[in-house]
Amino acid sequence: MTTTAKKKSRKSATKTPPKISVVPDVAATATTNASLIARREAAVARGVASAAPIFARYAENALLWDVEGNRFVDFAGGIAVLNTGHRHPKVIAAAKAQEDHYTHTSFQVVPYEPYIALAEKLNALAPGDHTKKSLLVTTGAEAVENAVKIARAATGRPGVIAFTGGYHGRTLLTLGMTGKISPYKKDVGPFPSDIFRAPFPSVRDGITVQDALTGLQNLFLTDAQPERIAAIIIEPVLGEGGYTPVPFEMMQALRDICDTHGIMLIADEIQAGFGRTGTWFAIEHSGVVPDLITVAKSMAGGYPIAGVIGRAEVMDSVIPGGLGGTYGGNPVACAAALAAIEAIEEEGLLARSTALGETFRARFAEIGARVAPYRMWDIRGLGAMLAVEFVTDFETAKPDPDLTKAVVAHALQRGLILLACGMHGNALRIMVPLTASDAIIDEGLTIFEEALAAAVADQQS
Ligand SMILES: Cc1ncc(COP(=O)(O)O)c(C=O)c1O
């Protein structure tokens, strides 16, 4: 961060009183980002990469302060975990109240009500009027693993079909489904068998919905016998893969294909769920009802919890003891999730997501045309799950990950946290808390504009 930016952010830090009762001590500490980078390099495995070379000290709603007292607008939301913002007062209060009772018993030893209440709530929120049941675990990858286990038990079949550009986690089974080598799959295989990949429609690669469906039918003819396939798993909006929504007709076709062959349709809503796209679950936009849904991230406003929601008879196909884990459905995280869901309801965050999506689209289009003509190739997404994609020029539409990286770096210097995504690393995704005020959104977009102008100027110099 430059000295001027630093001074400016300190000033604005004091100008922004916290809404939470604890007054944040966000003044600079003796600890510097540089000293923590050095300690981190010595102590932490390098495989755990961080996008921003700063270290968190305090965060509230859509703002974050680092250890040096610099203030940032947070458009990354801890990778789509904070639709209700950092430390939503309701979420914090619920977690603290739960901590005053018990923090862990293991649901498999002594069960507790918050787990049941959250399962009831998830069953009620998930699309479809069939009877549903839920399982709670701790991470998104664990949810996906369990969804596959459940689909296998329900069908008695081994196979799973995932899509190009899909991201389902970093455990070995989920890596098999994740469709990107570097950095996720590089050097850590082999991956489990019976996982197949079908093409995802892509304007960039000239793959239409019809092409993608033909690819899937060809897969059935060549490698993946349909009667041996337990599940087709798809993100209704690709997350890490670039914030590309699945065309609704494709989702409908997948539902029909699954029905024809007795295959379970799994919607991976880990990144897209809980209001990010303007509905509880992104798949609702298409009207398709999946058999299983994986959830995590913004379900609990910053607490580690994940789950699988599904048709009751499908969920019950695994024998007692076949699902679970020591920490699965931790009671503090359950209480936080119930509070986060209530906050989404009470604060109208689904409608806010839709409105924010419109604001971002309009501003991106205007900023792109003015500041970086013929470089912002695509603005896409659903609701506030939006990304902009950068290219070297419109004629070749060649991905420009360097420009994207430079925008992220310039934005950070000016006080905005951004995160890239996409197969080519040339898209920037918006995961700002839906609770952010209009003023903060405007501040972030103004910084984005300055950062884009600076990145384009760098390339021209
Ligand atoms: C769609 C999707 N599925 C699964 C995962 C894995 O979740 P986790 O990182 O909690 O294991 C992610 C994480 O980004 C995701 O976006």
Side-chain angles (χ1 to χ4, degrees), residues 160-214:
V160 177
I161 295 177
F163 290 85
T164 37
Y167 181 89
H168 300 289
R170 280 187 173 89
T171 56
L172 276 172
L173 175 62
T174 59
L175 269 184
M177 293 181 252
T178 289
K180 190 174 179 188
I181 297 289
S182 189
Y184 311 124
K185 302 171 84 156
K186 197 164 175 339
D187 303 332
V188 298
F191 304 106
S193 61
D194 289 293
I195 295 171
F196 306 92
R197 193 167 309 285
F200 190 92
S202 160
V203 176
R204 158 173 300 291
D205 300 329
I207 302 171
T208 63
V209 167
Q210 197 44 56
D211 295 337
L213 292 171
T214 304

Short mmCIF file of all heavy atoms in Angstrom, two decimals, residues 160-214:
data_model
loop_
_atom_site.label_atom_id
_atom_site.label_comp_id
_atom_site.label_asym_id
_atom_site.label_seq_id
_atom_site.Cartn_x
_atom_site.Cartn_y
_atom_site.Cartn_z
N VAL A 160 -19.71 -41.16 -11.69
CA VAL A 160 -20.09 -39.76 -11.49
C VAL A 160 -19.68 -38.99 -12.73
O VAL A 160 -18.57 -39.18 -13.23
CB VAL A 160 -19.37 -39.16 -10.26
CG1 VAL A 160 -19.72 -37.68 -10.10
CG2 VAL A 160 -19.73 -39.92 -8.99
N ILE A 161 -20.56 -38.13 -13.20
CA ILE A 161 -20.22 -37.25 -14.33
C ILE A 161 -20.16 -35.81 -13.83
O ILE A 161 -21.10 -35.33 -13.19
CB ILE A 161 -21.24 -37.39 -15.49
CG1 ILE A 161 -21.16 -38.81 -16.06
CG2 ILE A 161 -20.96 -36.34 -16.57
CD1 ILE A 161 -22.17 -39.10 -17.16
N ALA A 162 -19.02 -35.17 -14.11
CA ALA A 162 -18.86 -33.75 -13.78
C ALA A 162 -18.56 -33.00 -15.09
O ALA A 162 -18.55 -33.61 -16.15
CB ALA A 162 -17.73 -33.59 -12.78
N PHE A 163 -18.32 -31.69 -14.99
CA PHE A 163 -18.20 -30.89 -16.21
C PHE A 163 -16.86 -30.15 -16.28
O PHE A 163 -16.24 -29.86 -15.26
CB PHE A 163 -19.36 -29.88 -16.28
CG PHE A 163 -20.66 -30.58 -16.55
CD1 PHE A 163 -21.39 -31.12 -15.50
CD2 PHE A 163 -21.10 -30.76 -17.85
CE1 PHE A 163 -22.57 -31.82 -15.74
CE2 PHE A 163 -22.28 -31.46 -18.10
CZ PHE A 163 -23.01 -31.99 -17.05
N THR A 164 -16.48 -29.80 -17.50
CA THR A 164 -15.26 -29.00 -17.68
C THR A 164 -15.44 -27.68 -16.93
O THR A 164 -16.53 -27.10 -16.94
CB THR A 164 -15.00 -28.66 -19.17
OG1 THR A 164 -16.25 -28.42 -19.80
CG2 THR A 164 -14.28 -29.75 -19.89
N GLY A 165 -14.38 -27.24 -16.26
CA GLY A 165 -14.44 -25.97 -15.54
C GLY A 165 -15.10 -26.07 -14.18
O GLY A 165 -15.14 -25.10 -13.43
N GLY A 166 -15.62 -27.27 -13.85
CA GLY A 166 -16.28 -27.42 -12.55
C GLY A 166 -15.26 -27.43 -11.42
O GLY A 166 -14.12 -27.86 -11.60
N TYR A 167 -15.69 -26.95 -10.26
CA TYR A 167 -14.84 -27.02 -9.06
C TYR A 167 -15.69 -27.61 -7.94
O TYR A 167 -16.76 -27.09 -7.62
CB TYR A 167 -14.33 -25.63 -8.65
CG TYR A 167 -13.43 -25.71 -7.43
CD1 TYR A 167 -12.06 -25.91 -7.57
CD2 TYR A 167 -13.95 -25.63 -6.14
CE1 TYR A 167 -11.23 -26.01 -6.45
CE2 TYR A 167 -13.14 -25.74 -5.02
CZ TYR A 167 -11.78 -25.93 -5.19
OH TYR A 167 -10.97 -26.04 -4.09
N HIS A 168 -15.18 -28.70 -7.35
CA HIS A 168 -15.96 -29.35 -6.29
C HIS A 168 -15.15 -29.59 -5.02
O HIS A 168 -15.66 -30.22 -4.09
CB HIS A 168 -16.56 -30.65 -6.81
CG HIS A 168 -17.46 -30.44 -7.99
ND1 HIS A 168 -18.70 -29.85 -7.89
CD2 HIS A 168 -17.28 -30.69 -9.32
CE1 HIS A 168 -19.26 -29.77 -9.09
NE2 HIS A 168 -18.42 -30.26 -9.97
N GLY A 169 -13.89 -29.14 -4.99
CA GLY A 169 -13.10 -29.28 -3.78
C GLY A 169 -11.72 -29.82 -4.03
O GLY A 169 -11.34 -30.11 -5.18
N ARG A 170 -10.97 -29.94 -2.93
CA ARG A 170 -9.56 -30.34 -3.03
C ARG A 170 -9.25 -31.68 -2.38
O ARG A 170 -8.08 -32.04 -2.26
CB ARG A 170 -8.69 -29.27 -2.37
CG ARG A 170 -8.41 -28.04 -3.20
CD ARG A 170 -7.41 -27.20 -2.43
NE ARG A 170 -6.92 -26.06 -3.16
CZ ARG A 170 -7.48 -24.85 -3.15
NH1 ARG A 170 -8.59 -24.65 -2.49
NH2 ARG A 170 -6.93 -23.85 -3.81
N THR A 171 -10.26 -32.41 -1.88
CA THR A 171 -9.97 -33.76 -1.40
C THR A 171 -9.83 -34.66 -2.62
O THR A 171 -10.19 -34.26 -3.72
CB THR A 171 -11.11 -34.26 -0.50
OG1 THR A 171 -12.33 -34.19 -1.25
CG2 THR A 171 -11.24 -33.42 0.77
N LEU A 172 -9.36 -35.88 -2.43
CA LEU A 172 -9.02 -36.66 -3.63
C LEU A 172 -10.23 -37.02 -4.49
O LEU A 172 -10.17 -36.93 -5.70
CB LEU A 172 -8.21 -37.89 -3.25
CG LEU A 172 -6.71 -37.57 -3.11
CD1 LEU A 172 -5.95 -38.75 -2.53
CD2 LEU A 172 -6.10 -37.16 -4.44
N LEU A 173 -11.36 -37.39 -3.84
CA LEU A 173 -12.54 -37.69 -4.67
C LEU A 173 -13.03 -36.43 -5.38
O LEU A 173 -13.32 -36.46 -6.58
CB LEU A 173 -13.67 -38.28 -3.81
CG LEU A 173 -14.99 -38.53 -4.55
CD1 LEU A 173 -14.84 -39.54 -5.68
CD2 LEU A 173 -16.10 -38.98 -3.61
N THR A 174 -13.10 -35.32 -4.63
CA THR A 174 -13.62 -34.10 -5.26
C THR A 174 -12.65 -33.55 -6.30
O THR A 174 -13.07 -32.96 -7.29
CB THR A 174 -13.96 -33.02 -4.21
OG1 THR A 174 -12.79 -32.70 -3.46
CG2 THR A 174 -15.06 -33.47 -3.28
N LEU A 175 -11.34 -33.77 -6.10
CA LEU A 175 -10.38 -33.34 -7.12
C LEU A 175 -10.61 -34.10 -8.42
O LEU A 175 -10.41 -33.56 -9.51
CB LEU A 175 -8.95 -33.60 -6.64
CG LEU A 175 -8.25 -32.47 -5.89
CD1 LEU A 175 -6.82 -32.86 -5.59
CD2 LEU A 175 -8.29 -31.15 -6.66
N GLY A 176 -11.03 -35.35 -8.28
CA GLY A 176 -11.36 -36.12 -9.47
C GLY A 176 -12.45 -35.43 -10.28
O GLY A 176 -12.50 -35.52 -11.50
N MET A 177 -13.35 -34.75 -9.58
CA MET A 177 -14.47 -34.07 -10.24
C MET A 177 -14.12 -32.65 -10.66
O MET A 177 -14.71 -32.09 -11.58
CB MET A 177 -15.67 -34.03 -9.29
CG MET A 177 -16.23 -35.39 -9.02
SD MET A 177 -17.63 -35.22 -7.91
CE MET A 177 -16.94 -35.87 -6.46
N THR A 178 -13.16 -32.04 -9.94
CA THR A 178 -12.73 -30.67 -10.26
C THR A 178 -12.01 -30.67 -11.60
O THR A 178 -11.14 -31.51 -11.83
CB THR A 178 -11.82 -30.14 -9.12
OG1 THR A 178 -12.64 -29.92 -7.97
CG2 THR A 178 -11.12 -28.85 -9.49
N GLY A 179 -12.40 -29.74 -12.46
CA GLY A 179 -11.90 -29.79 -13.85
C GLY A 179 -10.82 -28.77 -14.14
O GLY A 179 -10.91 -28.04 -15.12
N LYS A 180 -9.80 -28.69 -13.30
CA LYS A 180 -8.71 -27.77 -13.61
C LYS A 180 -7.40 -28.32 -13.03
O LYS A 180 -7.33 -28.60 -11.83
CB LYS A 180 -9.01 -26.39 -13.01
CG LYS A 180 -8.06 -25.31 -13.47
CD LYS A 180 -8.48 -23.94 -12.98
CE LYS A 180 -7.48 -22.89 -13.44
NZ LYS A 180 -7.74 -21.59 -12.83
N ILE A 181 -6.40 -28.46 -13.87
CA ILE A 181 -5.15 -29.06 -13.42
C ILE A 181 -4.40 -28.12 -12.46
O ILE A 181 -4.19 -28.46 -11.29
CB ILE A 181 -4.23 -29.40 -14.62
CG1 ILE A 181 -4.89 -30.45 -15.53
CG2 ILE A 181 -2.85 -29.86 -14.14
CD1 ILE A 181 -4.96 -31.84 -14.93
N SER A 182 -4.01 -26.95 -12.98
CA SER A 182 -3.16 -26.09 -12.15
C SER A 182 -4.00 -25.01 -11.49
O SER A 182 -4.77 -24.33 -12.17
CB SER A 182 -2.07 -25.46 -13.02
OG SER A 182 -1.15 -24.80 -12.19
N PRO A 183 -3.92 -24.81 -10.20
CA PRO A 183 -3.00 -25.46 -9.28
C PRO A 183 -3.57 -26.70 -8.60
O PRO A 183 -2.85 -27.40 -7.91
CB PRO A 183 -2.79 -24.37 -8.21
CG PRO A 183 -4.12 -23.69 -8.12
CD PRO A 183 -4.67 -23.72 -9.53
N TYR A 184 -4.85 -27.00 -8.79
CA TYR A 184 -5.51 -27.95 -7.88
C TYR A 184 -5.01 -29.39 -8.02
O TYR A 184 -4.79 -30.07 -7.04
CB TYR A 184 -7.03 -27.91 -8.09
CG TYR A 184 -7.61 -26.52 -8.09
CD1 TYR A 184 -8.37 -26.05 -9.16
CD2 TYR A 184 -7.40 -25.66 -7.02
CE1 TYR A 184 -8.90 -24.77 -9.17
CE2 TYR A 184 -7.92 -24.38 -7.02
CZ TYR A 184 -8.67 -23.94 -8.10
OH TYR A 184 -9.18 -22.68 -8.11
N LYS A 185 -4.89 -29.87 -9.28
CA LYS A 185 -4.63 -31.31 -9.47
C LYS A 185 -3.17 -31.63 -9.76
O LYS A 185 -2.80 -32.79 -9.84
CB LYS A 185 -5.51 -31.83 -10.62
CG LYS A 185 -6.99 -31.62 -10.38
CD LYS A 185 -7.83 -31.94 -11.59
CE LYS A 185 -8.15 -33.40 -11.68
NZ LYS A 185 -9.38 -33.66 -12.46
N LYS A 186 -2.39 -30.55 -9.91
CA LYS A 186 -1.00 -30.74 -10.36
C LYS A 186 -0.20 -31.57 -9.35
O LYS A 186 -0.17 -31.25 -8.16
CB LYS A 186 -0.34 -29.38 -10.55
CG LYS A 186 0.92 -29.42 -11.38
CD LYS A 186 1.29 -28.03 -11.85
CE LYS A 186 2.59 -27.94 -12.59
NZ LYS A 186 3.57 -28.97 -12.41
N ASP A 187 0.37 -32.66 -9.82
CA ASP A 187 1.31 -33.52 -9.06
C ASP A 187 0.68 -34.35 -7.94
O ASP A 187 1.41 -35.01 -7.21
CB ASP A 187 2.45 -32.68 -8.43
CG ASP A 187 3.21 -31.88 -9.46
OD1 ASP A 187 3.27 -32.34 -10.62
OD2 ASP A 187 3.75 -30.82 -9.10
N VAL A 188 -0.65 -34.29 -7.72
CA VAL A 188 -1.19 -34.97 -6.54
C VAL A 188 -2.09 -36.17 -6.88
O VAL A 188 -2.69 -36.75 -5.99
CB VAL A 188 -1.95 -33.98 -5.61
CG1 VAL A 188 -1.02 -32.92 -5.07
CG2 VAL A 188 -3.14 -33.34 -6.31
N GLY A 189 -2.14 -36.54 -8.17
CA GLY A 189 -2.93 -37.72 -8.55
C GLY A 189 -2.22 -39.00 -8.15
O GLY A 189 -1.17 -38.93 -7.50
N PRO A 190 -2.74 -40.19 -8.44
CA PRO A 190 -3.93 -40.41 -9.27
C PRO A 190 -5.23 -40.12 -8.53
O PRO A 190 -5.25 -40.09 -7.30
CB PRO A 190 -3.83 -41.90 -9.62
CG PRO A 190 -3.12 -42.51 -8.45
CD PRO A 190 -2.13 -41.46 -8.00
N PHE A 191 -6.26 -39.94 -9.32
CA PHE A 191 -7.58 -39.63 -8.77
C PHE A 191 -8.49 -40.86 -8.88
O PHE A 191 -8.22 -41.76 -9.66
CB PHE A 191 -8.16 -38.42 -9.52
CG PHE A 191 -7.22 -37.26 -9.45
CD1 PHE A 191 -6.49 -36.87 -10.56
CD2 PHE A 191 -7.00 -36.61 -8.25
CE1 PHE A 191 -5.56 -35.84 -10.47
CE2 PHE A 191 -6.09 -35.57 -8.14
CZ PHE A 191 -5.36 -35.18 -9.26
N PRO A 192 -9.56 -40.89 -8.10
CA PRO A 192 -10.43 -42.08 -8.09
C PRO A 192 -11.01 -42.39 -9.48
O PRO A 192 -11.18 -41.49 -10.31
CB PRO A 192 -11.55 -41.69 -7.13
CG PRO A 192 -10.98 -40.59 -6.30
CD PRO A 192 -10.02 -39.87 -7.16
N SER A 193 -11.32 -43.65 -9.66
CA SER A 193 -11.87 -44.08 -10.96
C SER A 193 -13.36 -43.78 -11.03
O SER A 193 -13.96 -43.32 -10.05
CB SER A 193 -11.63 -45.57 -11.14
OG SER A 193 -12.30 -46.25 -10.10
N ASP A 194 -13.95 -44.08 -12.18
CA ASP A 194 -15.39 -43.94 -12.42
C ASP A 194 -15.89 -42.49 -12.32
O ASP A 194 -17.03 -42.24 -11.96
CB ASP A 194 -16.20 -44.83 -11.46
CG ASP A 194 -16.04 -46.29 -11.83
OD1 ASP A 194 -16.52 -46.67 -12.91
OD2 ASP A 194 -15.39 -47.04 -11.07
N ILE A 195 -14.97 -41.55 -12.61
CA ILE A 195 -15.40 -40.15 -12.71
C ILE A 195 -15.18 -39.72 -14.16
O ILE A 195 -14.09 -39.94 -14.71
CB ILE A 195 -14.60 -39.25 -11.75
CG1 ILE A 195 -14.91 -39.66 -10.32
CG2 ILE A 195 -14.94 -37.77 -11.96
CD1 ILE A 195 -14.06 -39.02 -9.28
N PHE A 196 -16.21 -39.16 -14.75
CA PHE A 196 -16.15 -38.81 -16.17
C PHE A 196 -16.44 -37.32 -16.32
O PHE A 196 -17.08 -36.73 -15.46
CB PHE A 196 -17.18 -39.63 -16.96
CG PHE A 196 -17.03 -41.11 -16.73
CD1 PHE A 196 -17.76 -41.75 -15.73
CD2 PHE A 196 -16.14 -41.86 -17.49
CE1 PHE A 196 -17.61 -43.12 -15.50
CE2 PHE A 196 -15.98 -43.22 -17.27
CZ PHE A 196 -16.72 -43.86 -16.27
N ARG A 197 -15.95 -36.76 -17.44
CA ARG A 197 -16.15 -35.32 -17.63
C ARG A 197 -16.88 -35.03 -18.93
O ARG A 197 -16.50 -35.53 -19.98
CB ARG A 197 -14.80 -34.60 -17.63
CG ARG A 197 -14.93 -33.09 -17.50
CD ARG A 197 -13.60 -32.44 -17.18
NE ARG A 197 -12.94 -33.08 -16.06
CZ ARG A 197 -13.31 -32.93 -14.78
NH1 ARG A 197 -14.32 -32.14 -14.48
NH2 ARG A 197 -12.66 -33.56 -13.82
N ALA A 198 -17.93 -34.24 -18.81
CA ALA A 198 -18.70 -33.83 -19.99
C ALA A 198 -18.43 -32.35 -20.25
O ALA A 198 -18.05 -31.62 -19.34
CB ALA A 198 -20.19 -34.06 -19.73
N PRO A 199 -18.62 -31.91 -21.50
CA PRO A 199 -18.33 -30.50 -21.81
C PRO A 199 -19.37 -29.55 -21.22
O PRO A 199 -20.56 -29.87 -21.18
CB PRO A 199 -18.34 -30.45 -23.33
CG PRO A 199 -19.02 -31.69 -23.80
CD PRO A 199 -18.97 -32.70 -22.69
N PHE A 200 -18.89 -28.40 -20.74
CA PHE A 200 -19.77 -27.33 -20.26
C PHE A 200 -19.94 -26.34 -21.42
O PHE A 200 -18.97 -26.04 -22.11
CB PHE A 200 -19.10 -26.64 -19.06
CG PHE A 200 -20.00 -25.69 -18.32
CD1 PHE A 200 -20.74 -26.12 -17.23
CD2 PHE A 200 -20.12 -24.35 -18.71
CE1 PHE A 200 -21.58 -25.25 -16.53
CE2 PHE A 200 -20.96 -23.48 -18.02
CZ PHE A 200 -21.68 -23.93 -16.93
N PRO A 201 -21.15 -25.84 -21.65
CA PRO A 201 -21.32 -24.90 -22.77
C PRO A 201 -20.42 -23.67 -22.58
O PRO A 201 -20.28 -23.18 -21.47
CB PRO A 201 -22.80 -24.49 -22.69
CG PRO A 201 -23.44 -25.42 -21.74
CD PRO A 201 -22.39 -26.03 -20.89
N SER A 202 -19.83 -23.20 -23.66
CA SER A 202 -18.91 -22.07 -23.54
C SER A 202 -18.94 -21.22 -24.81
O SER A 202 -18.66 -21.71 -25.90
CB SER A 202 -17.48 -22.60 -23.32
OG SER A 202 -16.53 -21.63 -23.64
N VAL A 203 -19.31 -19.96 -24.64
CA VAL A 203 -19.33 -19.04 -25.78
C VAL A 203 -17.89 -18.89 -26.29
O VAL A 203 -17.63 -18.95 -27.48
CB VAL A 203 -19.90 -17.67 -25.34
CG1 VAL A 203 -19.83 -16.66 -26.48
CG2 VAL A 203 -21.32 -17.82 -24.83
N ARG A 204 -16.95 -18.74 -25.33
CA ARG A 204 -15.53 -18.57 -25.71
C ARG A 204 -15.03 -19.69 -26.60
O ARG A 204 -14.37 -19.45 -27.61
CB ARG A 204 -14.68 -18.50 -24.44
CG ARG A 204 -13.21 -18.84 -24.65
CD ARG A 204 -12.36 -18.59 -23.44
NE ARG A 204 -12.39 -17.21 -23.04
CZ ARG A 204 -11.86 -16.21 -23.73
NH1 ARG A 204 -11.24 -16.45 -24.87
NH2 ARG A 204 -11.93 -14.97 -23.31
N ASP A 205 -15.37 -20.94 -26.23
CA ASP A 205 -14.86 -22.09 -26.99
C ASP A 205 -15.83 -22.56 -28.07
O ASP A 205 -15.63 -23.62 -28.66
CB ASP A 205 -14.55 -23.25 -26.03
CG ASP A 205 -13.50 -22.86 -25.00
OD1 ASP A 205 -12.65 -22.02 -25.34
OD2 ASP A 205 -13.54 -23.36 -23.86
N GLY A 206 -16.89 -21.80 -28.28
CA GLY A 206 -17.86 -22.15 -29.33
C GLY A 206 -18.62 -23.43 -29.02
O GLY A 206 -19.03 -24.15 -29.94
N ILE A 207 -18.82 -23.73 -27.74
CA ILE A 207 -19.58 -24.95 -27.38
C ILE A 207 -21.00 -24.53 -27.01
O ILE A 207 -21.23 -23.88 -25.98
CB ILE A 207 -18.91 -25.70 -26.20
CG1 ILE A 207 -17.47 -26.07 -26.56
CG2 ILE A 207 -19.71 -26.94 -25.82
CD1 ILE A 207 -16.66 -26.61 -25.40
N THR A 208 -21.96 -24.89 -27.85
CA THR A 208 -23.35 -24.54 -27.59
C THR A 208 -23.94 -25.56 -26.60
O THR A 208 -23.32 -26.60 -26.31
CB THR A 208 -24.18 -24.61 -28.88
OG1 THR A 208 -24.14 -25.98 -29.34
CG2 THR A 208 -23.62 -23.70 -29.96
N VAL A 209 -25.14 -25.27 -26.14
CA VAL A 209 -25.83 -26.22 -25.26
C VAL A 209 -25.99 -27.55 -26.00
O VAL A 209 -25.77 -28.63 -25.44
CB VAL A 209 -27.20 -25.66 -24.82
CG1 VAL A 209 -28.06 -26.73 -24.18
CG2 VAL A 209 -27.01 -24.48 -23.87
N GLN A 210 -26.35 -27.47 -27.29
CA GLN A 210 -26.53 -28.70 -28.07
C GLN A 210 -25.22 -29.48 -28.16
O GLN A 210 -25.21 -30.71 -28.00
CB GLN A 210 -27.07 -28.35 -29.47
CG GLN A 210 -27.66 -29.53 -30.20
CD GLN A 210 -28.57 -30.40 -29.30
OE1 GLN A 210 -29.52 -29.90 -28.71
NE2 GLN A 210 -28.25 -31.69 -29.17
N ASP A 211 -24.10 -28.75 -28.38
CA ASP A 211 -22.78 -29.41 -28.44
C ASP A 211 -22.49 -30.11 -27.10
O ASP A 211 -22.00 -31.25 -27.06
CB ASP A 211 -21.65 -28.41 -28.68
CG ASP A 211 -21.74 -27.75 -30.05
OD1 ASP A 211 -22.37 -28.34 -30.94
OD2 ASP A 211 -21.19 -26.64 -30.20
N ALA A 212 -22.79 -29.41 -26.00
CA ALA A 212 -22.49 -29.97 -24.68
C ALA A 212 -23.32 -31.24 -24.45
O ALA A 212 -22.81 -32.24 -23.95
CB ALA A 212 -22.78 -28.93 -23.60
N LEU A 213 -24.57 -31.18 -24.86
CA LEU A 213 -25.44 -32.35 -24.66
C LEU A 213 -25.02 -33.50 -25.58
O LEU A 213 -25.06 -34.67 -25.18
CB LEU A 213 -26.90 -31.97 -24.91
CG LEU A 213 -27.47 -31.00 -23.85
CD1 LEU A 213 -28.84 -30.49 -24.27
CD2 LEU A 213 -27.54 -31.67 -22.47
N THR A 214 -24.57 -33.17 -26.78
CA THR A 214 -24.06 -34.21 -27.67
C THR A 214 -22.82 -34.84 -27.05
O THR A 214 -22.62 -36.08 -27.08
CB THR A 214 -23.71 -33.61 -29.06
OG1 THR A 214 -24.88 -32.97 -29.55
CG2 THR A 214 -23.25 -34.67 -30.04
#
